[in-house]
Amino acid sequence: MKASSAISEEIVLPSLLKRMMQIMLENAGAEKAVYLIKRQDQWLPAAICETRHKENILIADMNELKDYSAYPANIINYVRHTLEPLVLENAADTDEFSKNEYIKNETPKSVLCMPIIYHDTPQGLLYLENKNISGVFNKNRLSVLKMLAAQAGISLENARHFEEMKRHYISTERFVPKRLLKLLGKENVDEIKLGDCIEREISVFFNDIRGFTLHVEKKTPTDAFAFVNRYWDFMAPIIREHSGYIDHYSGDSILAVFPRDADDAVSGGIAL
C-alpha cells in the first residue's frame, strides 16, 4: 500500500510526524488529528493537524504545546489505559464521554482514538475527529488505519533510535573533536579501539591567563565561571580559524593542537 510505504520512508521525526498526520487524515475521513506522546508520565501533544490547514501541520517542542487542550482528555485517558481503539459514531450521544467539556463545546460527531504500538509498547496516541458527519470511522476505515498505525509504530521507533544516535554523536563531539577523529582516520568515536594511534608531527599550543587565581579570588563563583566562559568563547573560534582544535580545557588553560604545520600555531597565537 502506497500510504504505508510513504510512512516507512521517513526516519527524521518531524518529517515522519508530518507525513503520518497527512496520511492518517486522508485515509480516515477526519477533519482533525492530534498525536500525543508520553513525556514524564504525561501524555502531551506532539503534532496537530486539521484538514483546512493540512499543509501547515503544527509540530512543536513539548513545551510549546503543553497547554494545548483542544481534545477530549477523558477519551485519551480511556485509550491509554485500555490500549484499544475507541470509535464513537456520535460522541455527544454517549453517556460515558458526552459530559466532557471539549465534547460539549466543540460537539464533534465521529471520534476515533487509537494507540500506536510497537512490540507491545505504546509509541503514542492518535486522536481523530469529524465534526460534521456521524459514523465516519467505519469498519473498513478502521482496518486501514490499524495497518497504517502498525507501520507508524515501526517508523516511530526507528525515528526514536535515529534521534538518540544524533544526540549521542553531538554529545561526544563536545569531548572528542572531529579533527581528532579525522587524524585517526575514523568517522565517529565508536570506531576507536583501545590502543589506536598514529605517528605524525603536530604543533601544540598552550595558553593560560596571567594572574588568574588572584583575579577570580575577588569574584563570586558565578562571576568566575562567566569570566572563564567568555574567555573560552573568544579563544575557540580564533583557534579554529587557524586550522587548529582545542584538545582540552583545564581551569583557565587551553591546550590546542595544530595538525597541519607550525605556521598555523604561530599565526593563531599572534591573533590571540
Side-chain angles (χ1 to χ4, degrees), residues 89-156:
E89 292 190 358
N90 192 330
D93 290 342
T94 59
D95 294 334
E96 189 172 358
F97 303 107
S98 59
K99 295 178 182 179
N100 177 268
E101 286 299 316
Y102 177 84
I103 299 294
K104 288 193 292 185
N105 294 333
E106 299 298 326
T107 63
K109 292 189 179 297
S110 298
V111 165
L112 166 63
C113 187
M114 63 190 302
I116 294 181
I117 296 175
Y118 176 76
H119 283 186
D120 298 325
T121 301
Q123 300 291 314
L125 300 174
L126 181 65
Y127 171 81
L128 301 166
E129 72 174 41
N130 188 308
K131 293 185 69 171
N132 299 305
I133 305 173
S134 299
V136 165
F137 307 118
N138 56 39
K139 186 176 180 180
N140 290 336
R141 277 183 168 153
L142 182 59
S143 177
V144 171
L145 290 172
K146 283 182 177 179
M147 181 184 66
L148 293 175
Q151 179 57 60
I154 296 170
S155 297
L156 287 164

Side-chain angles (χ1 to χ4, degrees), residues 225-240:
F225 274 112
F227 172 76
V228 172
N229 284 329
R230 287 196 302 272
Y231 164 65
W232 287 343
D233 286 342
F234 171 77
M235 300 285 282
I238 297 175
I239 291 170
R240 288 194 296 268

Side-chain angles (χ1 to χ4, degrees), residues 153-221:
I154 296 170
S155 297
L156 287 164
E157 180 68 8
N158 291 338
R160 186 181 68 81
H161 283 303
F162 182 69
E163 290 292 320
E164 286 180 354
M165 286 175 60
K166 282 203 305 183
R167 286 196 295 269
H168 169 71
Y169 288 125
I170 290 170
S171 297
T172 56
E173 283 179 11
R174 297 169 60 191
F175 305 101
V176 184
K178 285 184 178 179
R179 296 290 300 279
L180 175 59
L181 291 175
K182 189 175 180 180
L183 282 175
L184 293 172
K186 308 295 183 182
E187 290 292 327
N188 58 68
V189 70
D190 293 338
E191 296 178 7
I192 298 177
K193 301 292 188 295
L194 184 64
D196 280 354
C197 63
I198 59 169
E199 184 176 334
R200 62 177 295 173
E201 187 173 303
I202 61 173
S203 298
V204 177
F205 174 90
F206 183 81
N207 184 82
D208 68 351
I209 301 173
R210 181 184 298 172
F212 174 75
T213 302
L214 290 175
H215 182 71
V216 297
E217 280 178 348
K218 303 172 185 177
K219 295 180 177 291
T220 65

